[in-house]
Amino acid sequence: MKKIGLVLEGGGMRGLYTSGVLDYFMEKELYFPYVIGVSAGACNALSYISRQPGRSHNININYANDPRYINYTNLLKGEGLFNMEFAFNDIPDYLIPFDYERFEQASERLIIPATDCETGKAVYFEKNKCEDIITAVKASSSMPFVSKMVYLEGYQLLDGGIADPIPIAKSVEDGNSINVVILTRDKGYRKSPSVLHKLARTKYPKNNELTEAICTSYQIYNDTLDYIEKMEEGNEIFVLRPSRSTEIHRVERDVDKLENLYMEGYQDAKKKFAELEMNITSLDSITLT
């Protein structure tokens, strides 16, 4: 039996593209047995596995300009740009409720990468096997420089995108011979070398391995994209990505831009769903209904 995985890139507010894709998948009741998501991709994975279409979209659209969610004043105070308590407590518990029960009952495997601040390497947390998968998502979403480190299972953690920005290799390592990858950048995009060397060393003076990982993460990202595009050429992978370059930043607050990106993801999934079906319906590891 062939195994199939769903791989979700991060990208901050560019994750609205992924939200659109996953909302269409949920509309079609398409759920993959293995899901791995990093940073914003990890947040999207929560709503996907809990079967809550529209939830990720509503969070980012409704609170993009809410100072309780994103606040530059808090950053200057050393409290972090994103209010993680608001994002991971107030929103899921009261404002846009998260279905914890359905999430826990879901049979899908969920893997969340985060970056170990001591080694600069990726650490992977799995639903039902780690102490707290929600805290793992919080860690994976904690961008360097603008977020506090998160503590889990003895690790000091930051954004999973530092060490493993598009965790396709982990999915393959876990036995998935077929992978569907949702990217948040257009084809051909590559990152430039980091200019944050001095800032990283100043911000994290006791974490040399983390500093090195931050400064070289662009190369890991570009090498991963080369790997993905090579797999595409060999029809070994199915990729959904924005069709054009996007001007949306990781901390974008223009609601119209965000809404358009969400709709682009939704429409891309709709247009390519038949092609996706043809690629995976022969696999008995997944059911399409």
Side-chain angles (χ1 to χ4, degrees):
M1 173 169 51
K2 292 183 179 179
K3 295 182 179 180
I4 187 165
L6 176 65
V7 180
L8 308 176
E9 183 184 2
M13 288 303 209
R14 289 191 295 274
L16 262 297
Y17 179 84
T18 303
S19 300
V21 173
L22 295 183
D23 278 357
Y24 188 77
F25 285 178
M26 284 188 272
E27 194 174 297
K28 301 299 287 186
E29 297 187 19
L30 172 60
Y31 293 95
F32 293 80
Y34 176 105
V35 181
I36 184 167
V38 62
S39 194
C43 294
N44 275 310
L46 292 179
S47 296
Y48 175 67
I49 289 180
S50 64
R51 274 75 169 162
Q52 293 182 270
R55 183 175 178 275
S56 290
H57 164 273
N58 292 342
I59 290 171
N60 288 298
I61 294 296
N62 292 355
Y63 296 104
N65 292 289
D66 192 317
R68 295 173 297 173
Y69 190 42
I70 303 173
N71 192 315
Y72 284 92
T73 301
N74 288 343
L75 178 61
L76 295 175
K77 294 178 181 178
E79 297 174 2
L81 177 59
F82 286 89
N83 183 339
M84 289 303 198
E85 294 304 313
F86 181 74
F88 285 90
N89 291 306
D90 294 356
I91 289 178
D93 291 347
Y94 306 108
L95 300 172
I96 303 180
F98 180 64
D99 193 336
Y100 290 97
E101 182 177 359
R102 194 164 192 181
F103 174 77
E104 292 298 332
Q105 292 175 349
S107 62
E108 291 81 17
R109 289 184 68 189
L110 173 62
I111 314 296
I112 303 296
T115 299
D116 180 355
C117 295
E118 182 177 346
T119 66
K121 304 296 184 181
V123 182
Y124 300 95
F125 299 92
E126 183 168 351
K127 175 179 174 282
N128 298 329
K129 292 185 178 181
C130 74
E131 288 179 0
D132 186 347
I133 195 67
I134 304 298
T135 297
V137 173
K138 181 179 178 181
S140 187
S141 306
S142 295
M143 294 186 292
F145 307 114
V146 299
S147 301
K148 293 181 178 180
M149 294 179 183
V150 175
Y151 296 84
L152 179 63
E153 296 186 2
Y155 294 102
Q156 287 182 307
L157 303 164
L158 279 175
D159 189 347
I162 299 169
D164 195 358
I166 310 170
I168 176 65
K170 173 63 174 172
S171 182
V172 172
E173 179 186 315
D174 283 348
N176 297 307
S177 56
I178 302 294
N179 286 279
V180 175
V181 180
I182 303 178
L183 302 178
T184 55
R185 292 284 197 177
D186 57 295
K187 190 170 186 177
Y189 171 82
R190 294 295 186 274
K191 284 187 177 180
S192 300
S194 174
V195 296
L196 300 174
H197 295 75
K198 291 184 179 179
L199 179 58
R201 292 188 175 92
T202 300
K203 179 70 174 177
Y204 307 110
K206 297 180 180 180
N207 301 92
N208 293 332
E209 299 300 328
L210 173 64
T211 297
E212 182 65 21
I214 291 171
C215 294
T216 59
S217 62
Y218 80 96
Q219 190 61 59
I220 296 172
Y221 184 80
N222 292 343
D223 289 346
T224 304
L225 286 176
D226 290 344
Y227 174 59
I228 287 172
E229 291 183 10
K230 184 176 180 180
M231 293 179 77
E232 277 188 283
E233 292 172 2
N235 295 315
E236 301 173 62
I237 198 170
F238 191 94
V239 180
L240 282 160
R241 56 163 73 84
S243 58
R244 52 190 170 75
S245 177
T246 174
E247 298 178 355
I248 290 180
H249 305 293
R250 291 176 68 89
V251 194
E252 183 64 61
R253 305 181 81 174
D254 186 319
V255 171
D256 289 336
K257 286 183 179 180
L258 294 173
E259 191 69 60
N260 288 338
L261 185 61
Y262 168 82
M263 287 308 303
E264 182 179 352
Y266 182 90
Q267 293 298 331
D268 281 353
K270 185 175 183 179
K271 286 186 292 187
K272 297 180 180 180
F273 192 76
E275 181 183 353
L276 175 61
E277 266 191 315
M278 289 178 62
N279 278 270
I280 64 177
T281 49
S282 62
L283 303 176
D284 56 3
S285 61
I286 188 168
T287 301
L288 295 175
T289 58

